[in-house]
Amino acid sequence: MSLDKLASHHGEWLNETAAQRQDHFRRSARILIQFAALGLVLSAGASLYAGSSQMVFAACLLALPVFTGAFAMRYRAWQG
């Protein structure tokens, strides 16, 4: 599905130029990656403080869907 078909399907918020849609998806992906990386850094610091490696493993599992969503948004931006 192209970005133009996606825009016509979802209405006016995506009914912009291709460059604007690419910018939207890139910006959203960047924000998601920053939140996921911040969460991993904070959990790594907390696990070092607590002496538990399981906390880092759990944080990686929780951050995985966020990174997947960010890469999907980057793909959408690349598609346009």
Side-chain angles (χ1 to χ4, degrees):
M1 176 178 272
S2 71
L3 287 178
D4 290 327
K5 287 181 183 178
L6 184 69
S8 66
H9 181 263
H10 285 288
E12 205 162 304
W13 73 275
L14 280 178
N15 198 12
E16 301 168 343
T17 65
Q20 288 171 322
R21 289 191 299 265
Q22 285 177 340
D23 183 53
H24 165 76
F25 284 118
R26 281 191 186 116
R27 187 175 42 246
S28 297
R30 188 179 325 116
I31 290 170
L32 279 177
I33 288 175
Q34 288 171 347
F35 276 120
L38 179 66
L40 284 175
V41 167
L42 290 176
S43 66
S47 69
L48 285 174
Y49 180 75
S52 170
S53 62
Q54 292 176 343
M55 189 182 291
V56 173
F57 180 71
C60 288
L61 287 179
L62 290 174
L64 187 64
V66 178
F67 280 121
T68 304
F71 289 123
M73 285 187 182
R74 290 293 299 179
Y75 176 73
R76 277 285 181 201
W78 172 77
Q79 249 186 344

